[in-house]
Amino acid sequence: MAALLHPPDSLPVLVLALAIEAALGYPDRLYRLAGHPVTWIGALIATLDRRLNREGDPEGRRRIAGVLALGLVLAATGFAASALALACGALGLLPGTLLCALLAASLPAQRSLHDHVARVARDLDRDGLPGGRRAVAMIVGRNPETLDEAALCRAAIESLAENFSDGIVAPAFWLGAGGLPGGALYKAINTADSMIGHRTPRHEAFGWAAARLDDLVNLPASRLTAGLVVAAAALTPGASARAALDAVRRDAGRHRSPNAGFPEAAMAGALGLRLAGPRVYGTTRVEDAWMGSGRAEATGDDIVRALVLYRRACLLLWGLAAGLACLVPVA
């Protein structure tokens, strides 16, 4: 009975999940057939937003409603993921670990992120600025019509750096620390932040809990991501690990986000660029500090260089997970 109640060990699951997702991504056919865990979580969040976030309520009540909504989302996600993990454990060590890894491979997004950012460089080269703007609009929230070529390329590289942290390293971290439930709960928090964690009249109060919790759970991963980028720079000709480390120390804490500055500063320093800085979301201009002390005139070639660095950092993440899996005894 004890074996039936024991989910697969998290580190072997993480190692396999990262390898599966890097090789296969999330198949389009499966997405069309059944959706994706993020779409399922997102549908629940949207329903709770419609039903609990009443615009006529005072700010305090809307904040409490947001806490309740986040709690319901986490309870539903945690219950479903825990049940799946226990079901995998009941299959035995090898089949249970493999099935759990297949499920967990839906949580990181290494391949999807790479493909979306690579498309920006490809479309910019093939179709010029209009093509690059269409491609970058798929991965950033800022107004693409305000972007010249350099700003467009910086936006793509910034998105690569930030999403490496919260789309790959963070789910991997929490998957390794808490198994399938840990990874799924992180994804639920991150999805809630992306949907309702905005400082808008509708969501500033209701999304307060989601935004604050997302900041908290991303703290360890953002620092780990910066370290991975620094290490990858040391292995990449033309990149500078020293400049990456200097940029993190000097600039990361000046970013308006408590987490995004770490991967962005590391990427900027490694590539000899300046990232972040002032930018426009919709019609709102956001003033932010520059990350890195290099050139602001980024090009499509810099996107390609950033992707090389990203691939090596992903490999280092996998190697770190594999090393820990070898060191930690199987329960």
Side-chain angles (χ1 to χ4, degrees):
M1 176 63 71
L4 293 177
L5 299 177
H6 188 273
D9 287 280
S10 61
L11 288 172
V13 167
L14 171 60
V15 173
L16 287 172
L18 287 173
I20 291 167
E21 196 279 328
L24 302 176
Y26 193 84
D28 289 340
R29 185 175 181 182
L30 178 59
Y31 183 85
R32 291 192 298 269
L33 180 67
H36 184 278
V38 167
T39 65
W40 308 334
I41 294 168
L44 176 58
I45 295 168
T47 299
L48 293 170
D49 186 20
R50 287 193 303 270
R51 295 186 177 182
L52 300 180
N53 188 11
R54 301 184 180 93
E55 295 188 6
D57 286 349
E59 180 179 333
R61 184 174 295 176
R62 293 176 78 176
R63 184 172 290 195
I64 292 171
V67 172
L68 174 61
L70 181 62
L72 291 171
V73 169
L74 295 181
T77 302
F79 176 81
S82 296
L84 287 170
L86 290 173
C88 290
L91 298 176
L93 180 60
L94 291 179
T97 299
L98 180 58
L99 178 58
C100 196
L102 284 168
L103 295 171
S106 65
L107 301 176
Q110 302 164 99
R111 194 177 186 92
S112 174
L113 177 59
H114 182 280
D115 290 348
H116 277 87
V117 175
R119 181 181 173 185
V120 177
R122 185 187 69 237
D123 288 5
L124 178 65
D125 180 62
R126 184 185 62 194
D127 302 323
L129 190 57
R133 284 173 171 169
R134 287 192 297 271
V136 84
M138 303 294 293
I139 58 173
V140 301
R142 66 198 69 176
N143 184 351
E145 298 306 314
T146 66
L147 303 177
D148 59 17
E149 182 172 337
L152 184 151
C153 293
R154 291 197 307 270
I157 296 169
E158 290 162 19
S159 181
L160 178 67
E162 185 175 356
N163 283 291
F164 179 40
S165 178
D166 60 22
I168 294 148
V169 178
F173 177 89
W174 291 109
L175 179 59
L180 186 61
L185 286 169
Y186 168 79
K187 209 67 178 178
I189 295 166
N190 189 243
T191 303
D193 176 62
S194 69
M195 293 181 64
I196 62 174
H198 309 295
R199 291 184 174 178
T200 61
R202 176 164 179 79
H203 288 126
E204 184 159 15
F206 186 76
W208 170 83
R212 299 290 78 76
L213 187 56
D214 185 72
D215 286 344
L216 180 63
V217 297
N218 274 299
L219 281 171
S222 62
R223 280 68 176 170
L224 175 57
T225 303
L228 290 168
V229 173
V230 171
L235 303 174
T236 304
S240 173
R242 177 62 181 271
L245 186 58
D246 287 346
V248 171
R249 289 172 171 169
R250 181 186 62 243
D251 299 329
R254 300 192 297 123
H255 199 286
R256 67 191 182 103
S257 163
N259 295 307
F262 286 85
E264 288 185 15
M267 186 70 77
L271 298 175
L273 297 173
R274 278 194 296 164
L275 299 177
R279 49 202 184 273
V280 177
Y281 292 89
T283 59
T284 303
R285 180 178 172 86
V286 173
E287 300 293 338
D288 202 358
W290 288 100
M291 302 290 107
S293 58
R295 54 189 167 84
E297 296 301 311
T299 67
D301 288 341
D302 291 315
I303 298 177
V304 174
R305 294 172 59 223
L307 287 166
V308 171
L309 199 63
Y310 165 76
R311 290 193 295 269
R312 293 184 181 182
C314 284
L315 187 59
L316 288 171
L317 175 63
W318 183 88
L320 177 61
L324 289 173
C326 291
L327 290 173
V328 176
V330 176

